[in-house]
Amino acid sequence: MSSVSPGVSPFLVRKAAVLGAGVMGAQIAAHLVNANVEAILFELPAKEGDPNGNVLKAVDNLRKLEPSPLATPARAGFIRPANYEQHLDLLKDCDIVIEAISERMDWKSDLYKKVAPHLGPNTIFASNTSGLSINQLAGAFPAELRHRFCGVHFFNPPRYMHLVELIACKETDAVILDDLEKFLVTTLGKGVIRAKDTPNFIANRVGVFSMLATIYHAERLGIGFDTVDALTGSLIGRPRSATFRTADVVGLDTFAHVVNTMKDTLPNDPWHKYYAVPAWLKTLIDQGALGQKTKRGVYQKIGNDIQVIDLKQKNYRVSDGKADEGMVEILKNKNVAERFAQLHASSHPQAQFLWSIFRDSFHYCAVHMGDIANNARDVDFAIRWGFGWDIGPFEIWQAAGWQQVAQWIAEDIAAGKSMADTQLPAWATDTSRAGVHTPQGSFAPSTNGYQTRSTLPVYKRQPFPDKLLGEERKYGETIFETDDVRCWHTGDDIAIVSFKSRMHAIGDDVLEGVQQAIETAEKNYLGLVVWQTEPPFSVGANLKKTPAGGARPASKPSAMGKLFKSFKKEAESLALKAARQLGVADQLMAGKLAEVEHLVEQFQVTTQALKYSLTPTVAAVDGLALGGGCEFVMHCDRAVATHESYIGLVEVGVGLLPAGGGCKEFAMRAVADAKGGDLSAFIQKYFRSVATAEVGRSAEHARDIGYLRATDKVVMNRFELLEIAKAEVRALAAAGYRPPLRQTAIPAAGRSAIATIRTVLENMLAGGHISEHDHLIGRKVATVICGGDIEAGSLVDEQWYLDLERQHFMELLATEKTQARIEHMLKTGKPLRN
């Protein structure tokens, strides 16, 4: 455990340098500035023009990448460009230097010798190598500096992938490792795994073997690569990019490099013969078809067609592979043991393929765990956080029935069906074993016992860390509980309210529960935190019960899923798919508009209650906060949001407008922004956000849009969110909290601002950019956010805006075209632009 001796300053990172402005180096620098860490990005000097030209080009490219490595485009301006010829003296002021150049031992060694004399007396030097020996790299570092040398392996893309592997060399100071882990966890928001210094460490070792096993069995069974991707994506709890799309995203050359590292450094491995780049893959690489970065790899896009390489045809064909319906039914079975029994027993090639890739991954992990990791928890988290699996390989094995699966593996080894004939280790076949994860810890081969989680002080900030199968998890003591809401505490004086509805959608039961939680907090607690045990925060109103909030997505976006479309398109799709939840259509068909209007009013009552509670309210946001979820956030005294929070008012996507106070809050924020001056520019900004259903691409972007305020906090690590939200409650209470006074004299932008916005809408309509109904929705949003058809500067109160929201929401809801949009979405799941 790290400690600070008298007279020694605690480890703080004020400034960092990244050596190498390639794909990883530039994105690591981007994430440093995302976290408000000053970053200097080094590269070789350009041969012509500005000596920093290579870095400037890399930084400019950051602005073009999707998903964006930057919290906001402006963050790129905080990356300071530098080159090795002119700026090495800048390194002396850096607290940490991260080397991220190409995976060449000789190049890295040469660079180390060049920069070492310029490092500060306490600078930590870390290599981002994906698999080269840390001890061998340390040998190129001056002996007197090796105690400050280690490996710190980020995963691509660094902003979105949670994993960082931390690897010590023999001389690394233990205190430095602890300090670095704290920095990585809290400041950069990462999940840190201490890996052993073995080739490719943990995640790449296991993850790449899993991909090699998938390639081997696909070729053995003659299954097309597109079909493999249909089978090995979300159906089995892995990213939608599955296997070959992931390889394209990572880069086929990068994948081949990792494979070759295993081939060159693991000659005695039982699976060594499989550590080879397939001939077809080598051919693609030789042709320069490296995947997404060259627009051709295993897949390519020709016109509107996605094509996949076909090994039989030795050419590309249209990608149309699908999972067999029978396989889909098996994989939908929530009973994991039954699911694996069916796969194991089936003679269908797709079933045998799936069983084979699971079996060989389990076998590999069991044999190698003691060599590469400290315990089974580290293996599972490495694969979950680094490769995006929902649960790790040992967790899957345990859920499927440890003893039965171990028996099947042993039988297949004996029958020569496994990729290697090495027997399972004795600990894995122990007949008393039910798994490797227990409430006491996770199995560690080195001690033949169970290791608890890290006791470093940084983890005290995580009251509910990422959960493993087999661990017990209890979320505090219940204050009250309904079907859709639970109000609880952790043994202190702060109440927490969490939603139990699917995707934390807000229906009338949630509204009643939140109102009850506010009343309870006012009577008995210091304050109230709105926090969910898992993301998202809320996808908005469950319009089967109440239409005041926003749209509900079919699923949350995964980090890897974002790699195939821009986040804006993803968010718009989520918003539009939400209409599947617009059960308000049932009420429409039944002619119960008055009932709907009452529910809208109750939503407004709830958001106002959050705003004017006698005790502080804090929204702890992680993931999606759309529509009504966004309106909850806007009305709490404070929001504490994780960096990867995607917040927005998305109601216009299904022909409606925000009616839970969102337009009202934007109108009031425009007044505050104007500071007594002209409202027009600020009103137009907020109008655009509502009218285009703009969703923040990060918490900081949401702040730029206006969904979050300057006083709201951004947290990098989602597992620290609750602790920091509670700290906000305590700070507000300690300062003698009183709710804001209700504003009764809000200057409205009025009819002149409406006219200005309508002119823009008319031009868009004339140009064919929007439909007649889009035009109507835009006019109504403008009317509400500008305070109605009144003189500019007229003074109104909050209820005035709420009444306008409700009125125009109901008017839109009553139109045939909004109803058609709702009905079309319910039937087809696709948007209607009528």
Side-chain angles (χ1 to χ4, degrees):
M1 184 179 296
S2 111
S3 60
V4 179
S5 302
V8 177
S9 299
F11 177 69
L12 298 171
V13 177
R14 295 175 176 84
K15 187 179 295 184
V18 180
L19 309 183
V23 173
M24 283 299 290
Q27 291 194 64
I28 291 170
H31 196 58
L32 286 165
V33 296
N34 286 343
N36 293 331
V37 177
E38 292 183 55
I40 306 170
L41 182 59
F42 279 81
E43 189 48 271
L44 293 169
K47 294 180 180 179
E48 298 179 356
D50 188 335
N52 288 332
N54 291 329
V55 175
L56 293 172
K57 182 179 179 181
V59 172
D60 186 57
N61 190 52
L62 290 172
R63 299 183 176 96
K64 303 172 185 176
L65 291 177
E66 289 292 348
S68 177
L70 298 160
T72 65
R75 292 279 164 153
F78 292 94
I79 300 174
R80 181 175 178 179
N83 66 78
Y84 300 121
E85 298 302 323
Q86 296 176 305
H87 304 118
L88 287 179
D89 61 307
L90 297 177
L91 295 175
K92 69 179 185 301
D93 298 322
C94 294
D95 300 291
I96 181 170
V97 174
I98 300 171
E99 170 269 304
I101 68 169
S102 296
E103 290 288 85
R104 287 272 301 268
M105 186 71 75
D106 54 342
W107 291 359
K108 290 179 186 287
S109 296
D110 289 345
L111 179 63
Y112 294 178
K113 293 170 185 175
K114 186 171 188 174
V115 303
H118 300 276
L119 299 177
N122 297 306
T123 302
I124 294 175
F125 192 96
S127 174
N128 182 57
T129 178
S130 59
L132 297 179
S133 169
I134 296 300
N135 279 293
Q136 192 173 343
L137 286 172
F141 220 62
E144 66 274 14
L145 299 181
R146 288 176 195 164
H147 68 288
R148 291 189 270 127
F149 180 84
C150 64
V152 54
H153 180 212
F154 289 83
F155 278 69
N156 190 17
R159 170 182 163 184
Y160 299 98
M161 301 310 292
H162 190 57
L163 178 65
V164 169
E165 290 173 318
L166 187 59
I167 313 101
C169 70
K170 293 176 182 177
E171 295 92 344
T172 307
D173 188 320
V175 172
I176 284 176
L177 286 177
D178 291 350
D179 286 339
L180 188 52
E181 184 163 352
K182 176 184 176 182
F183 168 72
L184 292 167
V185 169
T186 291
T187 305
L188 299 189
K190 297 304 175 184
V192 173
I193 297 295
R194 301 276 185 110
K196 296 182 179 181
D197 186 23
T198 55
N200 294 333
F201 313 128
I202 301 174
N204 275 345
R205 179 78 175 270
V206 174
V208 169
F209 171 79
S210 177
M211 294 176 73
L212 288 171
T214 300
I215 293 170
Y216 169 75
H217 290 298
E219 293 187 40
R220 179 178 67 85
L221 293 165
I223 299 175
F225 293 166
D226 50 345
T227 301
V228 168
D229 278 352
L231 288 166
T232 59
S234 56
L235 277 177
I236 61 171
R238 298 183 188 177
R240 285 176 291 177
S241 52
T243 300
F244 294 104
R245 291 185 191 277
T246 294
D248 271 354
V249 170
V250 169
L252 300 185
D253 54 337
T254 301
F255 174 69
H257 170 77
V258 176
V259 173
N260 284 327
T261 297
M262 295 168 75
K263 178 182 179 180
D264 295 341
T265 57
L266 297 166
N268 299 318
D269 191 293
W271 286 267
H272 181 264
K273 68 179 180 180
Y274 300 102
Y275 299 161
V277 178
W280 61 265
L281 180 55
K282 187 177 186 304
T283 298
L284 286 176
I285 294 171
D286 290 343
Q287 293 172 353
L290 306 181
Q292 183 173 275
K293 57 190 173 186
T294 60
K295 302 187 185 303
R296 185 164 80 91
V298 177
Y299 291 90
Q300 66 175 3
K301 186 174 183 180
I302 302 296
N304 293 324
D305 291 333
I306 302 296
Q307 299 183 344
V308 63
I309 194 76
D310 189 300
L311 297 188
K312 294 178 181 177
Q313 299 179 14
K314 296 184 179 179
N315 206 342
Y316 287 91
R317 60 169 172 79
V318 173
S319 174
D320 57 5
K322 295 180 180 178
D324 178 80
E325 290 183 7
M327 291 306 101
V328 173
E329 287 304 309
I330 290 174
L331 296 172
K332 282 183 178 179
N333 189 340
K334 294 183 179 180
N335 185 311
V336 182
E338 291 180 3
R339 187 191 314 158
F340 269 80
Q342 290 174 301
L343 290 176
H344 181 262
S346 175
S347 60
H348 193 289
Q350 291 187 11
Q352 284 304 297
F353 165 75
L354 288 171
W355 161 247
S356 296
I357 64 173
F358 278 117
R359 174 201 63 213
D360 289 323
S361 292
F362 296 160
H363 186 192
Y364 189 87
C365 289
V367 169
H368 285 305
M369 185 194 2
D371 301 328
I372 65 176
N374 292 315
N375 54 63
R377 176 177 52 250
D378 288 351
V379 173
D380 280 342
F381 276 153
I383 294 300
R384 281 167 53 172
W385 296 344
F387 277 74
W389 294 19
D390 288 348
I391 59 175
F394 285 127
E395 290 179 287
I396 299 170
W397 184 352
Q398 185 166 327
W402 188 275
Q403 289 299 321
Q404 179 61 78
V405 170
Q407 179 184 330
W408 288 336
I409 295 172
E411 290 170 353
D412 281 3
I413 293 170
K417 295 180 179 180
S418 292
M419 292 172 69
D421 58 9
T422 300
Q423 298 300 308
L424 287 170
W427 65 261
T429 56
D430 183 345
T431 56
S432 65
R433 181 171 301 286
V436 290
H437 302 303
T438 72
Q440 291 73 44
S442 295
F443 183 75
S446 62
T447 62
N448 199 36
Y450 293 88
Q451 282 187 5
T452 59
R453 290 178 181 252
S454 172
T455 57
L456 287 176
V458 66
Y459 294 109
K460 293 180 181 178
R461 297 164 58 89
Q462 300 184 13
F464 303 105
D466 210 353
K467 185 183 177 184
L468 276 170
L469 179 77
E471 290 183 334
E472 293 179 346
R473 175 62 54 88
K474 181 183 179 183
Y475 291 99
E477 300 295 329
T478 300
I479 300 171
F480 72 83
E481 188 167 8
T482 69
D483 288 343
D484 283 344
V485 164
R486 178 173 179 252
C487 187
W488 53 288
H489 64 81
T490 59
D492 55 20
D493 50 3
I494 296 175
I496 303 163
V497 63
S498 302
F499 307 164
K500 296 161 58 182
S501 51
R502 185 175 177 271
M503 300 296 284
H504 306 135
I506 303 167
D508 53 356
D509 290 343
V510 170
L511 295 175
E512 291 172 8
V514 171
Q515 290 181 35
Q516 184 180 348
I518 293 169
E519 293 171 4
T520 300
E522 287 180 332
K523 292 176 182 177
N524 303 313
Y525 292 89
L526 206 59
L528 177 68
V529 174
V530 185
W531 177 80
Q532 317 300 359
T533 58
E534 295 289 340
F537 176 77
S538 174
V539 295
N542 178 353
L543 294 179
K544 287 183 176 179
K545 297 186 176 182
T546 173
R552 178 174 179 176
S555 63
K556 64 182 180 181
S558 69
M560 296 303 291
K562 294 173 196 166
L563 295 170
F564 295 97
K565 58 179 75 175
S566 74
F567 181 77
K568 180 171 176 58
K569 290 181 180 178
E570 175 85 1
E572 288 174 348
S573 173
L574 291 169
L576 291 166
K577 287 179 182 177
R580 290 176 179 159
Q581 296 305 317
L582 291 175
V584 67
D586 299 336
Q587 308 237 22
L588 282 173
M589 303 311 170
K592 296 180 180 179
L593 284 176
E595 212 171 290
V596 173
E597 185 168 8
H598 173 72
L599 293 173
V600 177
E601 187 174 6
Q602 282 305 301
F603 205 106
Q604 293 177 343
V605 167
T606 306
T607 54
Q608 289 294 92
L610 284 168
K611 183 173 184 176
Y612 293 108
S613 166
L614 291 174
T615 54
T617 58
V618 173
V621 186
D622 183 26
L624 296 171
L626 302 179
C630 175
E631 288 171 311
F632 269 29
V633 174
M634 295 173 77
H635 283 81
C636 286
D637 295 300
R638 288 284 187 278
V640 178
T642 62
H643 187 267
E644 301 311 321
S645 292
Y646 311 110
I647 305 171
L649 296 171
V650 296
E651 290 84 349
V652 298
V654 284
L656 297 168
L657 58 75
C663 292
K664 178 259 299 181
E665 285 298 301
F666 264 172
M668 294 175 68
R669 290 178 190 190
V671 171
D673 292 345
K675 298 178 181 177
D678 184 12
L679 279 174
S680 299
F682 302 101
I683 281 290
Q684 289 175 38
K685 169 195 168 184
Y686 291 127
F687 165 79
R688 282 194 299 270
S689 296
V690 175
T692 61
E694 187 174 16
V695 176
R697 293 169 175 245
S698 68
E700 289 295 352
H701 186 215
R703 195 197 308 274
D704 285 353
I705 296 168
Y707 297 128
L708 296 182
R709 298 151 294 198
T711 53
D712 294 330
K713 301 291 191 297
V714 175
V715 176
M716 298 304 289
N717 195 311
R718 59 177 291 251
F719 299 107
E720 296 181 352
L721 178 63
L722 179 59
E723 196 72 6
I724 296 170
K726 289 170 69 175
E728 284 294 297
V729 169
R730 294 192 187 283
L732 288 167
Y737 174 81
R738 289 292 302 173
L741 296 173
R742 294 179 185 267
Q743 296 192 42
T744 57
I746 307 165
R751 64 173 65 96
S752 59
I754 296 173
T756 300
I757 293 172
R758 284 190 174 183
T759 299
V760 175
L761 292 172
E762 293 290 346
N763 290 336
M764 293 181 70
L765 180 62
H769 302 295
I770 60 174
S771 69
E772 287 280 359
H773 196 54
D774 293 328
H775 183 254
L776 172 65
I777 296 166
R779 294 202 318 269
K780 288 192 172 295
V781 171
T783 299
V784 173
I785 206 165
C786 293
D789 186 18
I790 57 178
E791 288 293 327
S794 298
L795 301 180
V796 298
D797 61 12
E798 290 184 64
Q799 191 58 49
W800 175 271
Y801 280 104
L802 293 172
D803 291 345
L804 282 173
E805 285 184 355
R806 194 167 65 253
Q807 172 194 335
H808 290 279
F809 180 96
M810 297 305 301
E811 289 176 1
L812 282 171
L813 196 56
T815 64
E816 289 185 4
K817 289 189 175 181
T818 284
Q819 291 180 30
R821 290 187 180 192
I822 293 171
E823 185 176 2
H824 183 81
M825 182 64 75
L826 285 167
K827 288 181 178 179
T828 69
K830 297 178 181 179
L832 174 67
R833 283 288 174 248
N834 53 358

